[in-house]
Structures are given as C-alpha cells and as structure tokens.
Amino acid sequence: MLFRQLFDAESSTYTYLIGDAVRREAVLVDPVREQVERDLALVDALGLTLAWIVETHVHADHVTGGRALRERTGARTAVSRHCGASGYDRELDDGDRIVFGDEHLHAISTPGHTPGSTCFLWRDRLLTGDTLLIGGCGRTDFQNGNAASLFDSVTARLFTLPDDTLVYPGHDYKGRHVSTIGEEKATNARLAGRTREEFVALMDNLNLPQPKKIGEAVPANLVGGTG
Ligand SMILES: N[C@@H](CCC(=O)N[C@@H](CS)C(=O)NCC(=O)O)C(=O)O
Ligand SMILES: [Fe+2]
C-alpha cells in the first residue's frame, strides 16, 4: 500500500499520492501548481509511474498542477463532467473507476460546494475534497454552490459509508490531517445535529471573505490549469 498526504502551506491544500505498490502505477489527487517539482520528485523517488491526475473539483483557491504534471509525465487528467470545465483528458461520472495498476479510485458525485464536486473512495479511505472537511465543509457561496445539495451529498452519500472510513480532506486550516466518517457524523460543527433547513440557513450566513486567488484560480482551472 502506498499512500501519501502532501501539504501546500500557502493554500492549506492537501494533495494525495496513491500507488499500487507492486505494479508501481500511481494517481495524484488535487496537485497544486507551485508544488509540481515536489510531486515529481516524490513520484520519481518512489519509482512510480503517474497514470492519472484527478481533481475533486474546480478549485477557487489555487491553480492545479495538473497541466504541468501531464506535460512532464504523460499522465492523463480527470475532473467531473459537471464542472463545466474543458482541457481535461477525461470527464468523470458518478461511479466511475480510475484504475492504476490493480487498484482503483471510486468516484462518488457529491455536488454542493461546486456542481462538479466529487469524492474518491480508495479501500477504506475517502478523499473528500471540499465536500466534507474535518469539523466543517466547503462553502457554498460561489461557483454555483448549493447548501441544500451539499447537505444531501454528505448525508446520503458520505455518512452512509462505514463509520471507520478514514476521511482525508482537500484542505485543513488548523493542522489536522485525518478524521473518520463516524467522528464527522457525531461532531462536525456544521453538520452534526442540524436539519437540512438549519444547515442551509447557517451556510447562507457565513459571510466569508473570498479566497485570495479566486480571480486567477477559477478561470485557469476551468481550462485544465496553466503550465
Ligand atoms: N483564506 C483562504 C480561503 C479559502 C476558502 O474559502 N476555501 C474554501 C475552499 S475552496 C472553503 O470552502 N473553505 C471552507 C470554510 O472556510 O469554511 C484563501 O484565501 O484561499
Ligand atoms: Fe474548493
């Protein structure tokens, strides 16, 4: 088993490298443009071949490293069909499998933070992007976000997974690395104990500042990133 959680401090983004330890094929999830050299060095050091570069959604806070990584490795890029993006090699649907060696990621469509937001299940580990964060969830006030959809996605698609499923988020702003579905069901500050209506009211009144890089990141990520 080969699983690495990598962190970009500027955007507080987690990138995940998952590999088939025997066949040496790997997938990168949510790479950050500024960390491409780090990611390539790790892939190389571990003797891996990158098969896929996968996005959990069109990010608003950083530019994907996907385009540069594709050019440097020949790996293919993938994002949800429902992102409205172009420039990726594959458009993902709910239930799709991203195969690397004898392993695969299972795509779970979880609209809400953005219409194309997708979680990826690998064995007992769930990469949640910004759909479910540790103790929180992605905001729904831009990129056609929808709080009611986010509530439905989390409660129907994620909270129905086994309680000991490990939750690996797309960001953490407080130094946390991993949680479980059971913990989030019981303690998530935005979701636990809230009705759908209460959750929507909360999300509609967060009044968060815009991500610093949104003006650059969204247009770039809608076309597969910049080199
Ligand atoms: N300060 C950060 C804000 C990042 C931000 O808004 N992140 C989005 C994910 S793209 C989010 O949903 N955050 C959840 C929250 O703040 O509750 C920045 O400027 O990049
Ligand atoms: Fe996001």
Side-chain angles (χ1 to χ4, degrees):
M1 177 182 101
L2 220 155
F3 181 93
R4 298 292 173 96
Q5 182 186 51
L6 305 161
F7 188 62
D8 173 62
E10 200 196 339
S11 62
S12 298
T13 298
Y14 284 127
T15 297
Y16 297 91
L17 177 67
I18 310 176
D20 179 325
V22 178
R23 302 261 312 267
R24 311 310 292 180
E25 281 192 11
V27 56
L28 257 180
V29 179
D30 287 342
V32 174
R33 185 180 58 185
E34 286 73 14
Q35 301 291 350
V36 160
E37 297 304 329
R38 174 202 66 185
D39 297 348
L40 285 170
L42 183 59
V43 167
D44 201 40
L46 294 172
L48 298 169
T49 302
L50 206 54
W52 288 102
I53 302 152
V54 180
E55 305 290 342
T56 55
H57 61 296
V58 166
H59 303 279
D61 59 343
H62 68 273
V63 177
T64 175
R67 182 177 294 271
L69 287 160
R70 175 172 65 172
E71 280 165 14
R72 300 274 294 274
T73 65
R76 286 174 288 171
T77 55
V79 73
S80 165
R81 179 177 309 289
H82 306 290
C83 282
S86 61
Y88 293 84
D89 296 312
R90 178 173 169 191
E91 293 189 344
L92 298 171
D93 289 305
D94 184 52
D96 276 0
R97 284 175 165 217
I98 296 135
V99 175
F100 51 105
D102 294 328
E103 303 278 347
H104 69 271
L105 300 182
H106 174 88
I108 303 173
S109 180
T110 50
H113 173 58
T114 70
S117 287
T118 301
C119 297
F120 296 101
L121 186 65
W122 176 68
R123 299 188 180 190
D124 64 345
R125 294 170 190 224
L126 181 69
L127 311 187
T128 55
D130 297 352
T131 297
L132 180 63
L133 302 175
I134 299 174
C137 63
R139 58 198 290 177
T140 51
D141 59 334
F142 54 57
Q143 290 183 284
N144 297 316
N146 185 304
S149 299
L150 181 57
F151 186 87
D152 293 342
S153 291
V154 172
T155 54
R157 303 301 307 274
L158 304 187
F159 283 179
T160 49
L161 292 167
D163 275 355
D164 58 0
T165 305
L166 294 163
V167 170
Y168 284 96
H171 298 288
D172 193 84
Y173 305 99
K174 295 182 181 169
R176 296 161 298 189
H177 294 265
V178 61
S179 177
T180 63
I181 288 294
E183 282 169 73
E184 295 310 318
K185 259 159 60 174
T187 66
N188 187 286
R190 289 199 184 148
L191 287 143
R194 282 215 167 78
T195 64
R196 192 175 191 255
E197 291 66 33
E198 288 166 347
F199 177 75
V200 170
L202 173 79
M203 294 304 287
D204 286 349
N205 289 287
L206 288 179
N207 300 315
L208 297 169
Q210 294 273 294
K212 290 186 291 294
K213 288 194 177 174
I214 190 168
E216 179 192 7
V218 171
N221 294 330
L222 280 171
V223 295
T226 53

